[in-house]
Amino acid sequence: GCDGSILLDPSPTIDSEKNSRANFQSARGFEVVDEIKGAVDEACGKPVVSCADILAVAARDSVVAVSLNTIILLLITNYNSKCYALNVY
């Protein structure tokens, strides 16, 4: 699937894509998403986020992390291998 339905656990009322043959050994890391969601829900005292929310934030933060590494590498390369401190938010 192309949406968050792949994150749903199977139940009597949900025929989940999570364990389907089409996703065998391609979609993985569900336990990481479940662990993060559990920690957020526990910290808030109740379920407040969806697994799709967790993935959206993780994707955003991954892009930022990769971008920062790229920016720092470019700075080092462009300034004759001298390292300059850079705060990017």
Side-chain angles (χ1 to χ4, degrees), residues 9-51:
D9 290 324
S11 76
T13 58
I14 298 173
D15 185 18
S16 174
E17 297 177 46
K18 187 183 273 188
N19 298 324
S20 73
R21 185 171 15 184
N23 292 321
F24 180 69
Q25 291 191 352
S26 65
R28 56 191 178 275
F30 297 116
E31 67 282 350
V32 176
V33 175
D34 290 340
E35 185 177 330
I36 294 168
K37 181 183 178 342
V40 171
D41 290 345
E42 184 178 327
C44 294
K46 61 181 180 178
V48 293
V49 296
S50 69
C51 291

Side-chain angles (χ1 to χ4, degrees), residues 6 29 43 51 70:
I6 194 171
C51 291
T70 302

Side-chain angles (χ1 to χ4, degrees), residues 42-71:
E42 184 178 327
C44 294
K46 61 181 180 178
V48 293
V49 296
S50 69
C51 291
D53 294 332
I54 299 297
L55 283 182
V57 172
R60 181 205 60 197
D61 291 353
S62 298
V63 168
V64 169
V66 169
S67 298
L68 286 176
N69 287 338
T70 302
I71 290 168

